[in-house]
Amino acid sequence: FFSKLFALCRRLCARVASYCLHTRNIFIAACGLILRIMHLRTPLARNLYRHAQSVNAFDPCSPPPSDEAYQCNVERFNDRLRERWFPLSCDEACQEFVQESCNESGSLLLQIVYSVLMALLTPFMSRTTVNGLLGRGSMYICSTNQISALLHRSGLPVNQRKLGNLLDVGAGDGEVTKRLLPFFHHTYATEQSPTMRWRLKRAGFTVLDEDNWGNRKFDTISCLNVLDRCQRPHSLLHKIKNSLSPGGLLILGMVFPLAQCVEKGSRMVEPLERLPACNKESWEHNVQCMVDEFLEPAGFELKTVSRVPYLSKGDTTLSYYQLDEALMVLQAVDSYVHCPTRNATHGTTPQSLYV
């Protein structure tokens, strides 16, 4: 019932907004009334004021990510990572996501509804759960074509046949998972948020318990932007390693610089396990540190690494938000060749993670 009600409200707001936004006087009058009530004391009111006064009030779209968002200085990598570097670029799927974000950001009434409901609901539940309830929170990392290129570069014959089974850990609303579907016979997902689990089931995914994946073995596991948002990243990576078939692949996404935190209800708390302190002076050094200090010691060999923008839909301030992401394909191995010198600066990895 609530899903249908929210969907009806979204369609109604979109239609009304599309009519109102074509008339500048109506738009300014509406903003003026809201500002008179709020006295510019809330972030929403201030953003609406800037939105109304902007010369580009009716074209709030930010351009798609530039080529620089996909580039890196490979000279900062060591020889091994330099050989694994695989450049990508902004393609049609990314541009479509940006345009969709622009359309939603430009809908004034829709953003007001979102902001009011978010303010009312977040004291009682997490933002992720509220986003699942409202149909928000979609992210973009890469396209289906880019995933195909990454898997092919990693030595998989994705152009010839489908692979085995896939588990997407922390799948969110499933929009990113859908881009992985064409390459696997069976796709499973896990998710902590109850409303996001509900959306995954509605989308047709087989949703497993987040803590108990059963005795299944997976040919590929994707873990996109989860390790820095979970309580026990070391334990999770160890579990992923044990759940992969021999020679299985891990598709891993991590944002740099790291900013570890965990969503617990309406609060953000510190994790129980800390990742290596890879907050270096450059994106490249951060990636190198994470591979040397965390991924290889856990029994993974890097096959491919790319730099991509991690996009999330925006609001009245920006049409979308962007972070720097390392997208890696790694293979589970029984041992690893390179063992970096460990020091107190980077901390230590629990002994149970070593193979």
Side-chain angles (χ1 to χ4, degrees), residues 89 343 347:
S89 61
N343 53 55

Side-chain angles (χ1 to χ4, degrees), residues 52-307:
Q53 297 299 320
S54 173
V55 175
N56 297 318
F58 302 105
D59 186 21
C61 292
S62 302
S66 64
D67 291 340
E68 293 181 358
Y70 293 87
Q71 297 172 356
C72 82
N73 185 354
V74 294
E75 297 303 319
R76 292 173 177 167
F77 288 149
N78 64 18
D79 291 339
R80 291 180 304 108
L81 257 70
R82 201 174 300 135
E83 294 173 356
R84 302 293 189 266
W85 167 250
F86 185 66
L88 298 174
S89 61
C90 182
D91 60 6
E92 184 177 352
C94 179
Q95 295 173 6
E96 290 175 355
F97 180 88
V98 169
Q99 185 59 52
E100 183 179 339
S101 300
C102 289
N103 294 338
E104 291 189 14
S105 176
S107 176
L108 176 64
L109 294 184
L110 185 62
Q111 293 301 323
I112 292 175
V113 170
Y114 280 156
S115 298
V116 171
L117 291 177
M118 187 68 72
L120 291 174
L121 296 175
T122 46
F124 309 102
M125 59 186 75
S126 68
R127 292 183 66 89
T128 300
T129 299
V130 176
N131 283 335
L133 189 63
L134 301 179
R136 300 189 71 192
S138 291
M139 309 291 183
Y140 179 88
I141 298 173
C142 60
S143 67
T144 299
N145 289 337
Q146 290 172 336
I147 294 171
S148 176
L150 285 170
L151 293 176
H152 186 268
R153 173 66 182 268
S154 302
L156 295 180
V158 291
N159 297 328
Q160 302 174 15
R161 59 178 173 84
K162 283 193 173 184
L163 308 177
N165 58 358
L166 166 76
L167 171 67
D168 190 12
V169 177
D173 61 359
E175 289 301 314
V176 176
T177 318
K178 290 177 182 177
R179 302 185 186 277
L180 296 164
L181 282 178
F183 309 108
F184 300 92
H185 285 293
H186 304 287
T187 302
Y188 303 87
T190 71
E191 173 55 45
Q192 185 178 32
S193 166
T195 56
M196 290 298 186
R197 286 199 301 269
W198 168 69
R199 289 197 170 275
L200 287 168
K201 292 177 181 177
R202 288 193 63 189
F205 292 106
T206 302
V207 181
L208 305 180
D209 185 271
E210 61 176 314
D211 296 318
N212 183 15
W213 305 343
N215 296 321
R216 295 180 179 88
K217 288 287 186 178
F218 303 96
D219 300 293
T220 303
I221 295 180
S222 55
C223 183
L224 303 172
N225 307 300
V226 175
L227 289 178
D228 61 342
R229 289 294 180 267
C230 69
Q231 288 277 17
R232 302 178 184 273
H234 293 273
S235 302
L236 177 57
L237 189 64
H238 183 56
K239 184 176 183 178
I240 288 173
K241 174 67 162 48
N242 290 336
S243 300
L244 281 170
S245 302
L249 293 183
L250 168 62
I251 303 174
L252 181 66
M254 297 188 73
V255 168
F256 295 104
L258 283 174
Q260 263 189 283
C261 60
V262 180
E263 194 176 41
K264 190 173 183 179
S266 59
R267 300 178 297 116
M268 302 300 287
V269 299
E270 290 293 314
L272 298 177
E273 296 176 355
R274 301 296 305 185
L275 289 167
C278 292
N279 288 316
K280 305 295 184 179
E281 64 273 17
S282 70
W283 181 89
E284 295 84 357
H285 288 119
N286 285 324
V287 174
Q288 183 77 62
C289 169
M290 188 58 62
V291 171
D292 290 345
E293 299 291 330
F294 183 52
L295 299 174
E296 284 186 341
F300 288 94
E301 178 187 354
L302 182 68
K303 307 295 287 185
T304 306
V305 58
S306 298
R307 184 177 187 174

Side-chain angles (χ1 to χ4, degrees), residues 13 16-40 44-53 57-58 106-110 112 316:
C13 289
V16 174
S18 63
Y19 172 77
C20 292
L21 290 178
H22 284 294
T23 309
R24 185 177 180 84
N25 291 336
I26 296 178
F27 179 76
I28 298 296
C31 289
L33 178 61
I34 294 172
L35 299 176
R36 185 182 297 274
I37 296 173
M38 294 183 172
H39 301 290
L40 289 178
L44 173 62
R46 290 192 292 271
N47 289 336
L48 289 174
Y49 178 78
R50 288 194 295 267
H51 197 68
Q53 297 299 320
F58 302 105
S107 176
L108 176 64
L109 294 184
L110 185 62
I112 292 175
T316 54

